[in-house]
């Protein structure tokens, strides 16, 4: 599981998928496509800073939801990542079998739960996002995120249904001084760091409305509809 930090750029095996949108005061799956890019990174990995920078770059682009997840398996190198959590590591591990990979690595970007690449080459990242936007959309249910609730419409469900994930992330850029490990002496910038990942429930075709707890000050909110066990993200909305 604990593979070496990799600076080699490569696109993984699976095709690109799609997600969804936002409008006005409520984020909705009917307003356009939202491409979800998840970065799995660690302050203990010397190969990760370029991917962190690329995530910050794409986070400013319309139609992209960029999320940074700190993983724990490089903490053993002498620096404990201040944002890493075991459940973020497990989220990355869940992707590996569906993506045809032998184990997790850093830095890894996953686009719409369907495509994996090393995040250090901005050109490859941009190509993956463009491919996701151009791909034929999966037909997901409507998804509307409003204050205190998320509403999911009714339609034919995949056999396994869809997990409903609540993501809370910090949209600001945060500077972290690293005092030990491979990045000792460096101050690393981070953007869109995930602080909470909560499974709200499971959708199986019927209209569903779920309450959402209020965010902590400064946090942004996103909701993902995702095939269980590391599958495709078929809808997403962010405030």
């Amino acid at each position: 599981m604990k593979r070496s930090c990799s600076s080699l750029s490569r696109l993984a095996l699976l095709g690109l998928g799609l997600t969804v949108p936002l409008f006005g005061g409520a984020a909705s799956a009917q307003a356009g496509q939202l491409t979800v890019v998840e970065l799995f990174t660690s302050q203990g990995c010397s190969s990760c800073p370029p991917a962190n920078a690329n995530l910050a770059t794409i986070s400013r682009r319309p139609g992209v939801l960029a999320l940074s997840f700190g993983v724990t398996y490089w903490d053993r190198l002498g620096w404990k990542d201040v944002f890493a959590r075991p459940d973020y590591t497990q989220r990355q591990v869940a992707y590996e079998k569906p993506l045809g990979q032998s184990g997790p690595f850093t830095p890894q970007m996953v686009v719409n739960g369907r495509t994996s690449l090393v995040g250090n080459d901005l050109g490859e990242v941009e190509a993956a996002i463009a491919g996701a936007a151009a791909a034929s959309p999966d037909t997901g249910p409507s998804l509307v995120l409003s204050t205190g609730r998320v509403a999911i419409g009714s339609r034919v469900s995949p056999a396994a249904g869809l997990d409903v994930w609540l993501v809370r992330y910090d949209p600001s850029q945060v500077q972290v001084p690293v005092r030990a490990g491979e990045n000792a002496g460096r101050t690393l910038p981070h953007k869109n760091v995930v602080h909470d990942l909560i499974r709200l429930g499971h959708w199986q075709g019927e209209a569903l409305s779920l309450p959402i707890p209020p965010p902590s000050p400064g946090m942004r909110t996103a909701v993902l509809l995702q095939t269980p066990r590391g599958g495709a993200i078929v809808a997403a909305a962010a405030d």
Side-chain angles (χ1 to χ4, degrees):
M1 169 178 153
K2 298 177 180 176
R3 295 174 56 182
S4 298
C5 298
S6 172
S7 60
L8 296 176
S9 296
R10 61 181 174 82
L11 289 174
L13 302 176
L14 296 189
L16 294 160
L18 99 81
T19 53
V20 289
L22 24 158
F23 65 63
S28 166
Q30 302 304 315
Q33 296 183 8
L34 182 63
T35 300
V36 181
V37 180
E38 300 173 70
L39 170 64
F40 296 95
T41 183
S42 172
Q43 294 156 10
C45 170
S46 61
S47 299
C48 288
N52 294 345
N54 289 340
L55 191 83
T57 296
I58 65 172
S59 72
R60 297 188 286 268
R61 297 182 181 174
V64 174
L65 173 60
L67 301 171
S68 177
F69 289 90
V71 297
T72 57
Y73 46 86
W74 296 119
D75 290 355
R76 63 184 174 84
L77 296 182
W79 176 257
K80 183 176 174 60
D81 189 299
V82 300
F83 300 126
R85 287 184 13 182
D87 53 327
Y88 303 162
T89 302
Q90 289 307 309
R91 180 170 178 83
Q92 184 187 23
V93 169
Y95 275 132
E96 301 314 299
K97 184 176 180 180
L99 293 175
Q101 296 170 178
S102 59
F105 61 92
T106 55
Q108 181 184 24
M109 285 186 180
V110 178
V111 181
N112 287 345
R114 293 176 177 264
T115 299
S116 170
L117 64 155
V118 176
N120 285 352
D121 186 315
L122 184 58
E124 286 190 354
V125 175
E126 290 173 335
I129 293 170
S136 298
D138 288 335
T139 304
S142 63
L143 174 65
V144 178
L145 174 61
S146 57
T147 302
R149 300 201 74 81
V150 60
I152 306 167
S154 62
R155 68 174 310 120
V156 176
S157 168
L162 298 171
D163 287 332
V164 185
W165 291 99
L166 172 66
V167 181
R168 288 276 162 68
Y169 65 98
D170 183 356
S172 61
Q173 184 153 294
V174 180
Q175 304 286 340
V176 178
V178 178
R179 299 183 177 88
E182 291 188 350
N183 290 312
R186 302 181 66 178
T187 296
L188 303 182
H190 297 70
K191 184 111 175 20
N192 286 18
V193 173
V194 175
H195 285 255
D196 285 297
L197 178 66
I198 302 167
R199 185 179 178 275
L200 291 177
H202 192 70
W203 176 84
Q204 291 184 293
E206 296 183 358
L208 181 64
S209 178
L210 297 170
I212 296 176
S216 300
M219 293 293 110
R220 298 284 297 274
T221 298
V223 173
L224 313 177
L225 298 185
Q226 185 167 21
T227 307
R229 296 176 291 280
I233 296 171
V234 302
D239 63 8

